[in-house]
Amino acid sequence: MDKSIEEIWDNGFQNNKYSIPPVIVDLYHKKSILTVDKLKSTSKKDNWSIIPIAIITLIFFIIKSKLILGIYIAALMLSMFFLNRKQLAFLETINTSESCFDYLKKLQKWIKNNVKFYTRLLGIGLPLFTYVGCCIFILESNQYEYILESYSFKKLLTISISILASFSIIGIVSYRVSNYLIYGRLIKKIDEMIDELDFLKK
């Protein structure tokens, strides 16, 4: 008589002649599809939220008579929207008809690469773009001559480096915290399923 699921569960995974029972495979398959769908949905909502924020930011700076700065910041936000959209295109290529372990591993790798990419982008790009924004603000506020008269070149250089370093830290920390709050649970689920499946395959 064939062994029951319980016997295979208790003994089979300690013996290489048994593979993962179909019922367990099906369970993980359904669970992984739900997680992937949730990740897609959350990612799209998160990215599309940039659009209204960009519009509100533009309107705010127009009211404050800082049109150029408003356009600059809104353009940066829209650039981030399209960049995110390009990065998220990977999620549509996931083939859930293949082994869930295989596509979860691909997804895990993509997530890790994404975290590295955005950490570098916000750690290096954000300070530079923010510095340009500060310069635009100074020019629009007619503070350019006053600053040049009040501070020496050395002092301006020190301040500039401090601003760049500060925004680099702020960018990295803000991204890591927001990424954890928005995607932390989903990423944890994916990691746990991979670890469990990997254990069952041994």
Side-chain angles (χ1 to χ4, degrees), residues 108 154 186:
Q108 184 185 56
K154 184 178 180 180
L186 292 172

Side-chain angles (χ1 to χ4, degrees), residues 71 96 145 176 187 199:
I71 293 174
T96 54
E145 293 182 358
R176 289 301 183 98
I187 294 174
F199 173 75

Side-chain angles (χ1 to χ4, degrees), residues 112-176:
K112 290 180 179 179
N113 289 337
N114 243 23
V115 170
K116 290 180 182 178
F117 173 77
Y118 282 105
T119 298
R120 291 170 183 169
L121 177 65
L122 295 175
I124 299 174
L126 180 63
L128 295 176
F129 290 128
T130 302
Y131 186 76
V132 172
C134 290
C135 292
I136 294 174
F137 176 80
I138 291 171
L139 290 173
E140 282 197 298
S141 302
N142 297 317
Q143 299 292 320
Y144 181 73
E145 293 182 358
Y146 169 77
I147 291 176
L148 288 179
E149 292 174 357
S150 303
Y151 300 95
S152 64
F153 175 78
K154 184 178 180 180
K155 184 68 174 178
L156 287 174
L157 182 61
T158 302
I159 293 174
S160 298
I161 293 174
S162 299
I163 291 173
L164 290 172
S166 298
F167 277 105
S168 179
I169 295 172
I170 291 172
I172 292 173
V173 172
S174 297
Y175 168 69
R176 289 301 183 98

Side-chain angles (χ1 to χ4, degrees), residues 6-195:
E6 289 78 9
E7 289 176 308
I8 295 176
W9 182 267
D10 292 334
N11 306 311
F13 297 134
Q14 298 177 20
N15 191 319
N16 290 333
K17 70 179 181 179
Y18 295 109
S19 59
I20 303 176
V23 66
I24 303 300
V25 172
D26 185 58
L27 176 64
Y28 275 97
H29 185 66
K30 291 178 180 178
K31 185 179 178 182
S32 62
I33 290 177
L34 288 174
T35 303
V36 171
D37 287 342
K38 180 65 175 176
L39 182 62
K40 289 180 180 179
S41 175
T42 303
S43 299
K44 287 180 179 178
K45 289 178 182 178
D46 183 32
N47 193 37
W48 276 100
S49 68
I50 294 176
I51 301 298
I53 295 175
I55 295 173
I56 293 172
T57 300
L58 178 59
I59 294 173
F60 172 80
F61 281 105
I62 289 175
I63 294 173
K64 294 295 181 179
S65 301
K66 298 290 186 295
L67 177 61
I68 297 177
L69 182 59
I71 293 174
Y72 174 75
I73 295 176
L76 287 179
M77 289 183 177
L78 290 176
S79 298
M80 183 62 73
F81 168 79
F82 287 109
L83 175 62
N84 291 344
R85 194 174 182 180
K86 182 179 179 181
Q87 294 292 105
L88 294 174
F90 170 82
L91 294 177
E92 303 302 326
T93 67
I94 294 177
N95 182 10
T96 54
S97 63
E98 64 179 348
S99 164
C100 64
F101 179 79
D102 291 336
Y103 70 69
L104 285 176
K105 286 291 289 183
K106 292 177 183 177
L107 184 58
Q108 184 185 56
K109 183 179 179 181
W110 175 79
I111 290 172
K112 290 180 179 179
N113 289 337
N114 243 23
V115 170
K116 290 180 182 178
F117 173 77
Y118 282 105
T119 298
R120 291 170 183 169
L121 177 65
L122 295 175
I124 299 174
L126 180 63
L128 295 176
F129 290 128
T130 302
Y131 186 76
V132 172
C134 290
C135 292
I136 294 174
F137 176 80
I138 291 171
L139 290 173
E140 282 197 298
S141 302
N142 297 317
Q143 299 292 320
Y144 181 73
E145 293 182 358
Y146 169 77
I147 291 176
L148 288 179
E149 292 174 357
S150 303
Y151 300 95
S152 64
F153 175 78
K154 184 178 180 180
K155 184 68 174 178
L156 287 174
L157 182 61
T158 302
I159 293 174
S160 298
I161 293 174
S162 299
I163 291 173
L164 290 172
S166 298
F167 277 105
S168 179
I169 295 172
I170 291 172
I172 292 173
V173 172
S174 297
Y175 168 69
R176 289 301 183 98
V177 171
S178 63
N179 190 63
Y180 174 78
L181 293 176
I182 298 173
Y183 302 103
R185 289 184 179 179
L186 292 172
I187 294 174
K188 185 178 180 181
K189 282 184 180 180
I190 292 170
D191 291 339
E192 287 177 347
M193 282 190 287
I194 290 173
D195 290 340

